[in-house]
Amino acid sequence: VISLPSGKKKLADLIVDQGWAASKSEARRLIAQGAVDIEGEKIRDPLLELELRKGKNVRIKVGKKYLSILKPE
């Protein structure tokens, strides 16, 4: 479980900030190739902004290695 502040956050930035990708371009490539899954839905838009709301946890999976729950505060 990863605690984050509520508000908007770019998906590519989140992936880099958590260390799941070495760079933003790598994060965007992973997203475009369909390696990112949010709440069971494949995401293919590298410019997607997540709206993190307090009390609404979000399950995110990046590739086969990284699975986590985002908990906005």
Side-chain angles (χ1 to χ4, degrees):
V1 176
I2 299 169
S3 295
L4 294 171
S6 297
K8 290 188 178 185
K9 181 86 171 170
K10 290 184 180 180
L11 181 57
D13 291 341
L14 175 70
I15 290 171
V16 173
D17 291 347
Q18 296 306 316
W20 299 332
S23 65
K24 285 186 185 180
S25 61
E26 182 183 352
R28 288 191 296 264
R29 182 183 52 77
L30 286 169
I31 296 166
Q33 290 177 350
V36 177
D37 171 308
I38 296 177
E39 296 293 334
E41 182 180 334
K42 292 260 185 222
I43 304 298
R44 293 187 181 268
D45 179 8
L47 303 176
L48 179 74
E49 277 195 19
L50 293 177
E51 179 69 42
L52 301 171
R53 293 190 197 115
K54 187 175 182 173
K56 186 174 186 318
N57 295 344
V58 178
R59 187 181 72 79
I60 184 168
K61 182 178 178 190
V62 179
K64 292 182 179 181
K65 287 174 88 173
Y66 304 108
L67 174 64
S68 192
I69 305 289
L70 304 179
K71 183 178 180 183
E73 296 181 336

